[in-house]
Amino acid sequence: MVTTVATRAFAAQSPTSPLGPHTIERREPGPHDVKIDILYCGVCHSDLHTARGEWEGTKYPCVPGHEIVGKVVAVGAHVGRYKVGDRVGVGCLVDSCRECESCKADLEQYCYNGNVGTYNSRDKHLGGYTFGGYSASITVDEHFVLTIPDNLPLDAAAPLLCAGITLYSPLVHWHAGPGKKVGIVGLGGLGHMGVKIAHALGAHVTMITTTPAKAEDARKLGADAVLISTDKAAMKVAEKSLDLIMNTVSATHDYNAYNRLLRVDGAHVLLGVPPTDMPAPAVGRMLGNRLTLAGSTIGGIKETQEMLDFCAKHGIVCDIETIRMDQINEAYERMLRSDVKYRFVIDMATLKAA
Ligand SMILES: [Zn+2]
Ligand SMILES: [Zn+2]
């Protein structure tokens, strides 16, 4: 028998209802579990899409949030890596099968049997489905808990757990580094992390944006060059100049405009999920330049810890705006207008009063 504790949370009750106070059950720690008091939770676009039922399969009530940081308040008898008081994080995953080829290769995000998402996934322990970080606490198997290095502020580190790893993993996989020219498409929560991490890896970074007003910010974040994608002449000049493109745009758009920027053997990595299938890329150009059109999502647990340690070493955190729990619905509206630099983070101490 698993015992549970009533826990305060913030939930959407339907696709159209605003998020509001709600009570969920959290399990008391089993032998391998860590119980975490949540101090901050980042606000990802996936939270909004899921809460509003814009992707298939949202179960209600829905408690989003997968950029979780906090302090350990209890551990199970067999937990070896964490103790009470440790600064820890939980990202997009809370479990996986642990037995398949992907899991054995530390690629839990690509589990062949389906990973367990931090919210809106099947809950192996309690039945039902998982609830995310818009809540007072969470209980997670220690394998899926990350250490937040001491020199990273907890609030600004929270979005590293989704936005940070989403860029770090493909940048490392496709060898961004000294001598490589990397383009980052889209300057939002993901894109601003891409600029910072690619710069810290030693690559030459080009920010590719539709918005000339973002050029100055992009340079401050570490971009060496800014390419305005609506400027046809500049796009022409930039043809075949990049080794790697990280495409963070989730709106429907034409891949070909970016494929043209790639050198021979270049890779164009898709990180955003568009609402509809995109127009097919021009195959002739891909063949004629040995291009790779690829996709990537978050990272495994081992790599997420490497990313946190890398960010600690290079002093990288997210640029954030802290909000109260009861401002979440307004924050969603502002995200839809791209009115945030560059990530909202909820101060979970405000959940009590919300
Ligand atoms: Zn996310
Ligand atoms: Zn697996």
Side-chain angles (χ1 to χ4, degrees), residues 86-329:
D86 284 354
R87 292 155 40 101
V88 294
V90 177
C92 304
L93 304 175
V94 290
D95 213 337
S96 68
C97 84
R98 328 260 187 115
E99 287 169 355
C100 74
E101 202 182 318
S102 284
C103 287
K104 285 189 170 150
D106 294 308
L107 297 167
E108 297 90 347
Q109 75 275 37
Y110 303 124
C111 175
Y112 281 84
N113 297 305
N115 63 55
V116 180
T118 302
Y119 56 83
N120 203 46
S121 272
R122 191 174 60 85
D123 186 330
K124 286 186 189 175
H125 300 268
L126 300 181
Y129 54 95
T130 55
F131 297 116
Y134 298 3
S135 57
S137 78
I138 189 167
T139 303
V140 179
D141 185 294
E142 71 167 327
H143 179 78
F144 290 82
V145 176
L146 289 313
T147 297
I148 307 293
D150 283 337
N151 67 328
L152 293 180
L154 285 179
D155 52 358
L160 296 176
L161 294 158
C162 174
I165 190 60
T166 296
L167 271 295
Y168 179 86
S169 181
L171 283 165
V172 169
H173 183 77
W174 275 277
H175 310 296
K180 290 291 177 77
K181 292 197 161 185
V182 177
I184 309 284
V185 184
L187 186 53
L190 295 179
H192 98 287
M193 288 315 307
V195 172
K196 289 186 185 200
I197 293 170
H199 175 75
L201 286 166
H204 179 280
V205 184
T206 300
M207 179 74 232
I208 304 167
T209 174
T210 53
T211 317
K214 290 186 175 175
E216 194 185 330
D217 278 5
R219 287 182 194 280
K220 274 188 208 150
L221 293 167
D224 300 285
V226 177
L227 179 56
I228 307 301
S229 54
T230 50
D231 180 342
K232 286 209 173 87
M235 288 290 278
K236 183 82 191 156
V237 170
E239 278 188 11
K240 293 200 177 190
S241 68
L242 302 176
D243 298 293
L244 180 58
I245 292 175
M246 295 287 133
N247 186 343
T248 73
V249 175
S250 55
T252 305
H253 65 286
D254 181 7
Y255 297 139
N256 293 304
Y258 305 121
N259 280 347
R260 283 193 282 272
L261 303 175
L262 288 171
R263 295 156 55 90
V264 170
D265 282 336
H268 177 177
V269 185
L270 307 177
L271 304 172
V273 182
T276 56
D277 282 342
M278 308 269 236
V283 175
R285 171 167 296 272
M286 297 194 64
L287 269 57
N289 296 278
R290 199 158 63 180
L291 300 186
T292 302
L293 182 62
S296 176
T297 192
I298 53 172
I301 297 303
K302 183 167 174 257
E303 189 175 47
T304 304
Q305 188 64 59
E306 280 170 21
M307 177 275 305
L308 289 166
D309 296 342
F310 175 87
C311 288
K313 188 177 161 202
H314 293 272
I316 294 174
V317 286
C318 293
D319 291 16
I320 61 163
E321 179 178 336
T322 306
I323 60 168
R324 297 189 314 269
M325 189 70 255
D326 63 10
Q327 291 175 301
I328 188 66
N329 296 300

